[in-house]
CSV table of all heavy atoms in Angstrom, one decimal:
chain,number,residue,atom,x,y,z
A,6,THR,N,53.1,-101.2,-5.0
A,6,THR,CA,51.8,-102.0,-4.8
A,6,THR,C,50.7,-100.9,-4.7
A,6,THR,O,50.9,-99.7,-4.7
A,6,THR,CB,51.8,-102.8,-3.5
A,6,THR,OG1,51.8,-101.9,-2.5
A,6,THR,CG2,52.9,-103.7,-3.5
A,7,LEU,N,49.5,-101.5,-5.1
A,7,LEU,CA,48.3,-100.5,-5.1
A,7,LEU,C,48.1,-99.9,-3.7
A,7,LEU,O,47.8,-98.7,-3.7
A,7,LEU,CB,47.1,-101.5,-5.4
A,7,LEU,CG,45.8,-100.7,-5.6
A,7,LEU,CD1,45.9,-99.6,-6.6
A,7,LEU,CD2,44.6,-101.6,-5.7
A,8,ILE,N,48.4,-100.5,-2.7
A,8,ILE,CA,48.3,-99.9,-1.3
A,8,ILE,C,49.3,-98.8,-1.1
A,8,ILE,O,49.0,-97.7,-0.6
A,8,ILE,CB,48.5,-101.0,-0.2
A,8,ILE,CG1,47.5,-102.1,-0.3
A,8,ILE,CG2,48.5,-100.4,1.2
A,8,ILE,CD1,46.2,-101.8,0.2
A,9,GLU,N,50.5,-99.0,-1.6
A,9,GLU,CA,51.5,-98.0,-1.5
A,9,GLU,C,51.2,-96.8,-2.3
A,9,GLU,O,51.4,-95.7,-1.9
A,9,GLU,CB,52.9,-98.6,-1.9
A,9,GLU,CG,53.5,-99.6,-1.0
A,9,GLU,CD,54.8,-100.2,-1.4
A,9,GLU,OE1,54.9,-100.3,-2.7
A,9,GLU,OE2,55.5,-100.6,-0.6
A,10,ALA,N,50.7,-97.0,-3.5
A,10,ALA,CA,50.3,-95.9,-4.4
A,10,ALA,C,49.1,-95.1,-3.8
A,10,ALA,O,49.2,-93.8,-3.8
A,10,ALA,CB,49.9,-96.5,-5.6
A,11,ILE,N,48.0,-95.8,-3.3
A,11,ILE,CA,47.0,-95.0,-2.6
A,11,ILE,C,47.5,-94.3,-1.4
A,11,ILE,O,47.1,-93.1,-1.1
A,11,ILE,CB,45.9,-96.1,-2.2
A,11,ILE,CG1,45.3,-96.6,-3.6
A,11,ILE,CG2,44.8,-95.6,-1.3
A,11,ILE,CD1,44.2,-97.8,-3.4
A,12,THR,N,48.4,-94.9,-0.6
A,12,THR,CA,48.9,-94.3,0.7
A,12,THR,C,49.7,-93.0,0.2
A,12,THR,O,49.5,-91.9,0.8
A,12,THR,CB,49.7,-95.2,1.5
A,12,THR,OG1,49.0,-96.3,1.7
A,12,THR,CG2,50.3,-94.5,2.8
A,13,THR,N,50.4,-93.1,-0.8
A,13,THR,CA,51.3,-92.0,-1.3
A,13,THR,C,50.4,-90.8,-1.8
A,13,THR,O,50.6,-89.6,-1.4
A,13,THR,CB,52.3,-92.4,-2.4
A,13,THR,OG1,53.1,-93.4,-1.9
A,13,THR,CG2,53.2,-91.2,-2.9
A,14,ILE,N,49.3,-91.1,-2.6
A,14,ILE,CA,48.4,-90.1,-3.0
A,14,ILE,C,47.6,-89.5,-1.9
A,14,ILE,O,47.5,-88.2,-1.9
A,14,ILE,CB,47.5,-90.9,-4.0
A,14,ILE,CG1,48.3,-91.1,-5.3
A,14,ILE,CG2,46.4,-90.0,-4.3
A,14,ILE,CD1,47.5,-92.0,-6.3
A,15,ALA,N,47.3,-90.3,-0.8
A,15,ALA,CA,46.6,-89.7,0.3
A,15,ALA,C,47.4,-88.7,1.1
A,15,ALA,O,46.8,-87.6,1.5
A,15,ALA,CB,46.1,-90.9,1.2
A,16,ILE,N,48.7,-89.1,1.3
A,16,ILE,CA,49.6,-88.2,1.9
A,16,ILE,C,49.8,-87.0,1.2
A,16,ILE,O,49.8,-85.8,1.6
A,16,ILE,CB,50.9,-88.9,2.3
A,16,ILE,CG1,50.7,-90.0,3.3
A,16,ILE,CG2,52.0,-88.0,2.7
A,16,ILE,CD1,51.9,-90.9,3.5
A,17,LEU,N,50.0,-87.1,-0.2
A,17,LEU,CA,50.1,-85.9,-1.0
A,17,LEU,C,48.9,-85.0,-1.0
A,17,LEU,O,49.0,-83.7,-0.8
A,17,LEU,CB,50.4,-86.4,-2.4
A,17,LEU,CG,50.7,-85.3,-3.4
A,17,LEU,CD1,51.9,-84.4,-3.2
A,17,LEU,CD2,50.8,-85.8,-4.9
A,18,ILE,N,47.7,-85.5,-1.0
A,18,ILE,CA,46.4,-84.8,-1.0
A,18,ILE,C,46.4,-84.0,0.3
A,18,ILE,O,46.0,-82.9,0.4
A,18,ILE,CB,45.2,-85.7,-1.2
A,18,ILE,CG1,45.1,-86.1,-2.7
A,18,ILE,CG2,44.0,-85.0,-0.8
A,18,ILE,CD1,44.1,-87.1,-3.1
A,19,PHE,N,46.7,-84.8,1.4
A,19,PHE,CA,46.7,-84.1,2.8
A,19,PHE,C,47.6,-83.0,2.9
A,19,PHE,O,47.3,-81.9,3.5
A,19,PHE,CB,47.1,-85.2,3.8
A,19,PHE,CG,47.2,-84.6,5.2
A,19,PHE,CD1,45.9,-84.2,5.9
A,19,PHE,CD2,48.4,-84.4,5.8
A,19,PHE,CE1,46.0,-83.8,7.2
A,19,PHE,CE2,48.5,-83.9,7.1
A,19,PHE,CZ,47.4,-83.5,7.8
A,20,VAL,N,48.8,-83.1,2.4
A,20,VAL,CA,49.8,-82.1,2.3
A,20,VAL,C,49.4,-80.8,1.5
A,20,VAL,O,49.5,-79.7,2.0
A,20,VAL,CB,51.3,-82.5,2.0
A,20,VAL,CG1,52.2,-81.4,1.6
A,20,VAL,CG2,51.8,-83.5,2.9
A,21,VAL,N,48.9,-81.1,0.3
A,21,VAL,CA,48.4,-80.0,-0.6
A,21,VAL,C,47.2,-79.3,0.3
A,21,VAL,O,47.0,-78.0,0.1
A,21,VAL,CB,47.9,-80.6,-1.9
A,21,VAL,CG1,47.2,-79.5,-2.6
A,21,VAL,CG2,49.2,-81.0,-2.7
A,22,ALA,N,46.3,-80.0,0.8
A,22,ALA,CA,45.1,-79.4,1.6
A,22,ALA,C,45.6,-78.6,2.7
A,22,ALA,O,45.1,-77.5,2.9
A,22,ALA,CB,44.2,-80.5,2.0
A,23,ALA,N,46.6,-79.0,3.5
A,23,ALA,CA,47.1,-78.3,4.6
A,23,ALA,C,47.8,-77.0,4.1
A,23,ALA,O,47.7,-75.9,4.8
A,23,ALA,CB,48.1,-79.2,5.4
A,24,VAL,N,48.6,-77.1,3.1
A,24,VAL,CA,49.3,-75.9,2.6
A,24,VAL,C,48.3,-74.9,2.0
A,24,VAL,O,48.4,-73.7,2.2
A,24,VAL,CB,50.4,-76.3,1.4
A,24,VAL,CG1,50.8,-75.1,0.7
A,24,VAL,CG2,51.5,-77.1,2.1
A,25,SER,N,47.3,-75.4,1.3
A,25,SER,CA,46.2,-74.6,0.7
A,25,SER,C,45.5,-73.9,1.9
A,25,SER,O,45.1,-72.6,1.7
A,25,SER,CB,45.2,-75.3,-0.1
A,25,SER,OG,45.9,-75.8,-1.2
A,26,ALA,N,45.1,-74.6,2.9
A,26,ALA,CA,44.4,-74.0,4.0
A,26,ALA,C,45.3,-72.9,4.7
A,26,ALA,O,44.7,-71.8,5.1
A,26,ALA,CB,44.1,-75.0,5.2
A,27,LEU,N,46.7,-73.1,4.8
A,27,LEU,CA,47.5,-72.1,5.5
A,27,LEU,C,47.5,-70.9,4.5
A,27,LEU,O,47.5,-69.7,5.1
A,27,LEU,CB,48.9,-72.8,5.7
A,27,LEU,CG,50.0,-71.8,6.2
A,27,LEU,CD1,49.5,-71.4,7.7
A,27,LEU,CD2,51.3,-72.5,6.3
A,28,ILE,N,47.6,-71.1,3.2
A,28,ILE,CA,47.7,-69.9,2.2
A,28,ILE,C,46.4,-69.1,2.5
A,28,ILE,O,46.4,-67.8,2.4
A,28,ILE,CB,48.0,-70.4,1.0
A,28,ILE,CG1,49.4,-70.9,0.8
A,28,ILE,CG2,47.7,-69.2,-0.1
A,28,ILE,CD1,49.8,-71.5,-0.4
A,29,ILE,N,45.2,-69.8,2.5
A,29,ILE,CA,44.0,-69.1,2.5
A,29,ILE,C,43.8,-68.3,3.8
A,29,ILE,O,43.4,-67.2,3.8
A,29,ILE,CB,42.8,-70.1,2.4
A,29,ILE,CG1,42.8,-70.6,0.9
A,29,ILE,CG2,41.4,-69.5,2.8
A,29,ILE,CD1,41.8,-71.8,0.6
A,30,TYR,N,44.2,-69.0,4.9
A,30,TYR,CA,44.2,-68.4,6.3
A,30,TYR,C,45.0,-67.0,6.3
A,30,TYR,O,44.6,-66.0,6.7
A,30,TYR,CB,44.5,-69.4,7.4
A,30,TYR,CG,44.6,-68.8,8.7
A,30,TYR,CD1,43.5,-68.4,9.5
A,30,TYR,CD2,45.9,-68.3,9.2
A,30,TYR,CE1,43.6,-67.8,10.7
A,30,TYR,CE2,46.0,-67.7,10.4
A,30,TYR,CZ,44.8,-67.4,11.1
A,30,TYR,OH,44.9,-66.8,12.4
A,31,THR,N,46.2,-67.1,5.8
A,31,THR,CA,47.1,-66.0,5.8
A,31,THR,C,46.6,-64.9,4.9
A,31,THR,O,46.6,-63.8,5.2
A,31,THR,CB,48.4,-66.5,5.2
A,31,THR,OG1,49.0,-67.5,6.0
A,31,THR,CG2,49.4,-65.3,5.2
A,32,TYR,N,46.0,-65.2,3.7
A,32,TYR,CA,45.4,-64.3,2.9
A,32,TYR,C,44.3,-63.6,3.5
A,32,TYR,O,44.2,-62.3,3.5
A,32,TYR,CB,45.0,-64.9,1.5
A,32,TYR,CG,44.2,-64.0,0.6
A,32,TYR,CD1,44.9,-63.0,-0.1
A,32,TYR,CD2,42.8,-64.1,0.5
A,32,TYR,CE1,44.2,-62.1,-0.9
A,32,TYR,CE2,42.1,-63.2,-0.2
A,32,TYR,CZ,42.9,-62.2,-1.1
A,32,TYR,OH,42.2,-61.3,-1.7
A,33,ARG,N,43.5,-64.3,4.2
A,33,ARG,CA,42.2,-63.7,4.8
A,33,ARG,C,42.7,-62.8,6.0
A,33,ARG,O,42.1,-61.7,6.2
A,33,ARG,CB,41.3,-64.7,5.4
A,33,ARG,CG,40.4,-65.4,4.3
A,33,ARG,CD,39.5,-66.4,4.8
A,33,ARG,NE,38.7,-67.0,3.7
A,33,ARG,CZ,38.1,-68.1,3.9
A,33,ARG,NH1,38.0,-68.8,5.0
A,33,ARG,NH2,37.3,-68.5,2.8
A,34,SER,N,43.6,-63.2,6.8
A,34,SER,CA,44.2,-62.4,7.8
A,34,SER,C,44.8,-61.1,7.3
A,34,SER,O,44.5,-60.0,7.9
A,34,SER,CB,45.3,-63.2,8.7
A,34,SER,OG,44.7,-64.2,9.3
A,35,GLN,N,45.6,-61.2,6.3
A,35,GLN,CA,46.2,-60.0,5.7
A,35,GLN,C,45.2,-59.1,5.1
A,35,GLN,O,45.3,-57.8,5.2
A,35,GLN,CB,47.2,-60.4,4.6
A,35,GLN,CG,48.5,-61.0,5.2
A,35,GLN,CD,49.2,-60.1,6.0
A,35,GLN,OE1,49.2,-58.9,5.8
A,35,GLN,NE2,50.0,-60.7,6.9
A,36,SER,N,44.1,-59.6,4.5
A,36,SER,CA,43.1,-58.8,3.9
A,36,SER,C,42.3,-58.1,5.0
A,36,SER,O,42.1,-56.9,4.8
A,36,SER,CB,42.1,-59.8,3.1
A,36,SER,OG,41.0,-59.0,2.7
A,37,TYR,N,41.9,-58.8,6.0
A,37,TYR,CA,41.3,-58.2,7.2
A,37,TYR,C,42.2,-57.0,7.8
A,37,TYR,O,41.7,-55.9,8.1
A,37,TYR,CB,40.9,-59.1,8.3
A,37,TYR,CG,40.2,-58.6,9.4
A,37,TYR,CD1,38.9,-58.1,9.3
A,37,TYR,CD2,40.9,-58.4,10.6
A,37,TYR,CE1,38.3,-57.4,10.4
A,37,TYR,CE2,40.3,-57.9,11.7
A,37,TYR,CZ,38.9,-57.3,11.6
A,37,TYR,OH,38.4,-56.8,12.7
A,38,SER,N,43.4,-57.3,8.0
A,38,SER,CA,44.3,-56.3,8.5
A,38,SER,C,44.4,-55.1,7.6
A,38,SER,O,44.4,-53.9,8.2
A,38,SER,CB,45.7,-56.9,8.9
A,38,SER,OG,45.6,-57.9,9.8
A,39,PHE,N,44.5,-55.4,6.4
A,39,PHE,CA,44.6,-54.2,5.4
A,39,PHE,C,43.3,-53.4,5.5
A,39,PHE,O,43.3,-52.2,5.4
A,39,PHE,CB,44.9,-54.6,4.1
A,39,PHE,CG,44.9,-53.7,3.0
A,39,PHE,CD1,45.9,-52.8,2.9
A,39,PHE,CD2,43.8,-53.4,2.1
A,39,PHE,CE1,45.9,-51.7,2.0
A,39,PHE,CE2,43.8,-52.5,1.3
A,39,PHE,CZ,44.9,-51.7,1.1
A,40,GLN,N,42.2,-54.1,5.5
A,40,GLN,CA,40.8,-53.4,5.5
A,40,GLN,C,40.7,-52.6,6.9
A,40,GLN,O,40.3,-51.4,6.8
A,40,GLN,CB,39.8,-54.5,5.5
A,40,GLN,CG,38.4,-53.9,5.0
A,40,GLN,CD,37.4,-55.1,5.0
A,40,GLN,OE1,37.7,-56.2,5.4
A,40,GLN,NE2,36.3,-54.8,4.3
A,41,GLN,N,41.1,-53.1,8.0
A,41,GLN,CA,41.1,-52.4,9.2
A,41,GLN,C,42.0,-51.1,9.2
A,41,GLN,O,41.6,-50.1,9.6
A,41,GLN,CB,41.4,-53.3,10.3
A,41,GLN,CG,41.4,-52.7,11.7
A,41,GLN,CD,40.1,-52.7,12.4
A,41,GLN,OE1,39.0,-52.8,11.7
A,41,GLN,NE2,40.0,-52.3,13.6
A,42,SER,N,43.1,-51.3,8.6
A,42,SER,CA,44.1,-50.2,8.5
A,42,SER,C,43.6,-49.2,7.7
A,42,SER,O,43.8,-47.9,7.9
A,42,SER,CB,45.5,-50.8,8.0
A,42,SER,OG,46.4,-49.8,7.8
A,43,SER,N,43.0,-49.6,6.6
A,43,SER,CA,42.4,-48.5,5.5
A,43,SER,C,41.3,-47.6,6.3
A,43,SER,O,41.2,-46.6,6.2
A,43,SER,CB,41.9,-49.2,4.4
A,43,SER,OG,43.0,-49.7,3.7
A,44,ALA,N,40.5,-48.4,7.1
A,44,ALA,CA,39.3,-47.7,7.7
A,44,ALA,C,39.9,-46.8,8.8
A,44,ALA,O,39.3,-45.7,8.9
A,44,ALA,CB,38.5,-48.7,8.5
A,45,ILE,N,40.8,-47.1,9.5
A,45,ILE,CA,41.5,-46.2,10.5
A,45,ILE,C,42.1,-45.1,9.8
A,45,ILE,O,41.9,-43.9,10.3
A,45,ILE,CB,42.5,-47.0,11.3
A,45,ILE,CG1,41.8,-48.1,12.3
A,45,ILE,CG2,43.4,-46.0,12.2
A,45,ILE,CD1,42.7,-49.0,12.8
A,46,ASN,N,42.7,-45.2,8.7
A,46,ASN,CA,43.4,-44.2,8.1
A,46,ASN,C,42.3,-43.2,7.4
A,46,ASN,O,42.5,-41.9,7.5
A,46,ASN,CB,44.4,-44.6,6.8
A,46,ASN,CG,45.5,-45.1,7.4
A,46,ASN,OD1,46.1,-44.7,8.5
A,46,ASN,ND2,46.1,-46.0,6.6
A,47,GLU,N,41.2,-43.7,7.0
A,47,GLU,CA,40.2,-42.9,6.4
A,47,GLU,C,39.6,-42.1,7.6
A,47,GLU,O,39.4,-40.8,7.4
A,47,GLU,CB,39.0,-43.7,5.9
A,47,GLU,CG,39.2,-44.2,4.4
A,47,GLU,CD,38.2,-45.1,4.0
A,47,GLU,OE1,37.0,-45.1,4.7
A,47,GLU,OE2,38.2,-45.8,2.9
A,48,ALA,N,39.3,-42.6,8.7
A,48,ALA,CA,38.7,-41.9,9.8
A,48,ALA,C,39.8,-40.8,10.4
A,48,ALA,O,39.3,-39.8,10.7
A,48,ALA,CB,38.5,-42.9,11.0
A,49,ARG,N,41.0,-41.2,10.4
A,49,ARG,CA,42.0,-40.3,10.9
A,49,ARG,C,42.0,-39.0,10.0
A,49,ARG,O,42.0,-37.8,10.5
A,49,ARG,CB,43.4,-40.8,10.8
A,49,ARG,CG,44.5,-39.9,11.5
A,49,ARG,CD,45.8,-40.7,11.7
A,49,ARG,NE,45.6,-41.6,12.8
A,49,ARG,CZ,46.0,-42.9,12.8
A,49,ARG,NH1,46.7,-43.3,11.6
A,49,ARG,NH2,45.9,-43.7,13.7
Side-chain angles (χ1 to χ4, degrees):
T6 65
L7 183 59
I8 301 285
E9 291 172 332
I11 291 174
T12 304
T13 303
I14 292 171
I16 290 171
L17 182 63
I18 289 172
F19 177 75
V20 169
V21 168
V24 169
S25 297
L27 181 63
I28 290 171
I29 290 170
Y30 174 77
T31 302
Y32 175 75
R33 285 184 181 161
S34 294
Q35 289 296 334
S36 174
Y37 177 73
S38 295
F39 177 76
Q40 199 175 17
Q41 179 83 348
S42 175
S43 294
I45 291 166
N46 285 334
E47 282 179 9
R49 185 173 290 136

